[in-house]
Amino acid sequence: MAMDRDQVLRAAAALLSRKSTATMDEVAKAAGIGRATLHRHFAGRDALVKALEELGIREFEGAFDRARLAEGTAEEALRRLVAETEPNAQLLAFLVTENQLFEGDEVHEGWTRLDARVSALFKRGQEEGDFRIDLSLAWLTEALYGLIGTCAWAVMDGRVAAKDFQYMVIELLLGGARRSVEK
Amino acid sequence: MAMDRDQVLRAAAALLSRKSTATMDEVAKAAGIGRATLHRHFAGRDALVKALEELGIREFEGAFDRARLAEGTAEEALRRLVAETEPNAQLLAFLVTENQLFEGDEVHEGWTRLDARVSALFKRGQEEGDFRIDLSLAWLTEALYGLIGTCAWAVMDGRVAAKDFQYMVIELLLGGARRSVEK
DNA sequence: CTCAAATGAGACGTCGATGTCTCATTCAAT
DNA sequence: ATTGAATGAGACATCGACGTCTCATTTGAG
């Protein structure tokens, strides 16, 4: 069975999101190709992870574009963003935890761009009076990634229904657990 | 230099929380003991991780006890819980991501107990009208762990100030990012 | 159909981490 | 001071994953 390089990447992403220590052999099996062919596409494990990172960045830049973060209220934009992000939530979870390992290494420039876009969205929300100003932009950004990743894991483990993903992430992120009076 | 078994465990926890792929040799160095001695304490890497898991469970059971989850409002109890959890937030982050790897293996019974206590706290909050009922108990529990771990990482990376840890976690978890009218 | 390119399966050799072992040294209790 | 236990350093074999290579087979374009 022959697969496009992108299809291989997506299969690898699906596997590695669940089992980040999976062997190259397991990745090849999961992609339905031979290990040799996998090595023909990606020089090694590092190259594979780097390619996954770039796939993720591509996907999320696309998702950010589709979410039209500048339109409507910041809250509406954030809702669209979570919705657009859902298909790649597992990949995000993988990349976020993977990035924890890179200590000294410089962070991929693409992440900086994405962080800046998220941060700008939260900033707009704060300036327009929709979001709290006592939570730092950096923390709101991290919390968004964290909640998406956490919920992706919870869905994988069956603790949260897949259909509830968007609702759970966005409602907790926006409204929190406290029951407010006007609700 | 001789170290107590528990001191070794804490040193290992501190290292592995930041670099989960650290070598047994690195762990030994970090603990200030020889690799042979490390092996005398823990049969192997698996045994070390299992011991770390049990240390974590012990610590968190203690933290839960000190937080007196049954007293006061659920919100107050949750605030105390986050405060008591902070010293071991890195360990929690490590164990949560590590647990993602155990696929078929059964989950440690201690986690089930802890999950039940957190879940019961959120349930109490829902029944007393303090917490929203449209967010499932399982999700609230996962989100608590996720936000603690995410914030622990953010602090390690310097994106969030250590002194803000409790505030950022509890405020986002309870109130969310939205600016509500009565605040 | 023909043939060149790509693939899959497997056989290597390499390397790093692991786990065991030995032995000299240190530590602590007596 | 003496002695037995614990430790640190290092040697050693093992094992798993990796990366490269070969070769028979398949694929696909002409």
Side-chain angles (χ1 to χ4, degrees):
Chain A
M1 183 197 313
M3 289 186 90
D4 188 276
R5 178 193 148 107
D6 235 59
Q7 290 175 284
V8 174
L9 267 183
R10 282 172 204 288
L15 173 60
L16 289 173
S17 300
R18 276 176 287 115
K19 187 180 178 185
S20 60
T21 60
T23 286
M24 289 296 274
D25 200 82
E26 294 175 289
V27 173
K29 290 277 192 300
I33 65 176
R35 196 163 63 96
T37 308
L38 180 60
H39 272 84
R40 284 186 194 104
H41 281 302
F42 309 101
R45 193 193 184 73
D46 292 347
L48 174 62
V49 172
K50 177 166 285 188
L52 271 176
E53 195 176 27
E54 270 152 24
L55 171 67
I57 289 172
R58 256 189 293 140
E59 291 287 346
F60 290 117
E61 301 233 308
F64 282 33
D65 292 340
R66 285 190 298 277
R68 308 184 313 281
L69 299 185
E71 300 181 17
T73 67
E75 173 170 335
E76 290 164 357
L78 189 58
R79 287 178 184 276
R80 288 194 298 270
L81 178 58
V82 171
E84 292 291 342
T85 301
E86 179 177 8
N88 291 294
Q90 291 189 14
L91 181 57
L92 180 68
F94 168 71
L95 293 176
V96 166
T97 58
E98 195 73 3
N99 265 5
Q100 280 307 115
L101 300 183
F102 295 162
E103 291 214 355
D105 292 306
E106 77 286 352
V107 181
H108 191 295
E109 165 224 358
W111 287 121
T112 314
R113 265 204 311 272
L114 290 172
D115 283 359
R117 293 177 73 174
V118 177
S119 193
L121 171 61
F122 282 119
K123 188 161 196 283
R124 178 165 79 89
Q126 287 183 339
E127 289 172 350
E128 294 174 356
D130 292 333
F131 292 163
R132 300 167 61 171
I133 59 172
D134 60 333
L135 300 178
S136 71
L137 294 175
W139 168 235
L140 288 171
T141 303
E142 294 289 322
L144 170 65
Y145 296 155
L147 284 178
I148 290 175
T150 300
C151 200
W153 279 345
V155 169
M156 280 191 264
D157 290 348
R159 284 194 285 272
V160 168
K163 69 173 175 52
D164 294 334
F165 177 91
Q166 290 180 32
Y167 186 82
M168 292 295 170
V169 171
I170 200 71
E171 284 301 319
L172 184 62
L173 179 61
L174 280 174
R178 192 190 289 123
R179 181 174 170 190
S180 38
V181 273
E182 81 271 44
K183 278 201 91 68
Chain B
M1 183 197 314
M3 290 186 88
D4 188 278
R5 179 193 147 109
D6 233 59
Q7 289 175 287
V8 174
L9 266 184
R10 284 173 202 286
L15 173 61
L16 289 173
S17 299
R18 274 178 288 117
K19 187 179 178 186
S20 60
T21 60
T23 285
M24 290 295 275
D25 200 83
E26 295 175 288
V27 174
K29 290 276 191 302
I33 63 176
R35 198 164 61 94
T37 308
L38 180 61
H39 275 287
R40 284 185 193 104
H41 280 303
F42 309 100
R45 193 192 183 73
D46 292 349
L48 175 63
V49 172
K50 178 166 286 190
L52 271 176
E53 196 176 24
E54 271 152 24
L55 171 67
I57 289 171
R58 256 189 293 140
E59 292 287 347
F60 290 118
E61 301 232 306
F64 281 34
D65 292 340
R66 287 190 297 276
R68 307 184 314 280
L69 299 185
E71 298 181 19
T73 68
E75 175 172 334
E76 289 164 358
L78 190 58
R79 286 180 184 275
R80 287 195 299 269
L81 178 57
V82 171
E84 292 291 342
T85 301
E86 180 177 5
N88 292 293
Q90 291 189 15
L91 181 57
L92 181 69
F94 168 71
L95 292 176
V96 165
T97 57
E98 194 74 3
N99 264 5
Q100 280 306 114
L101 300 183
F102 295 161
E103 291 213 354
D105 293 307
E106 76 285 354
V107 181
H108 191 296
E109 165 225 358
W111 288 122
T112 313
R113 265 203 311 273
L114 290 172
D115 283 359
R117 293 176 74 173
V118 177
S119 195
L121 171 61
F122 282 120
K123 189 163 196 284
R124 178 164 80 88
Q126 288 183 339
E127 289 172 350
E128 293 174 357
D130 293 333
F131 292 163
R132 301 168 59 170
I133 59 172
D134 59 332
L135 300 177
S136 71
L137 295 176
W139 167 236
L140 289 171
T141 304
E142 294 290 321
L144 170 65
Y145 296 154
L147 285 178
I148 289 175
T150 299
C151 200
W153 278 345
V155 169
M156 280 191 265
D157 290 347
R159 284 193 285 272
V160 167
K163 68 173 175 53
D164 295 334
F165 178 90
Q166 291 181 29
Y167 186 82
M168 292 297 171
V169 171
I170 200 71
E171 283 302 317
L172 184 62
L173 180 60
L174 280 174
R178 192 190 290 123
R179 181 174 170 190
S180 37
V181 273
E182 82 270 48
K183 278 202 93 67

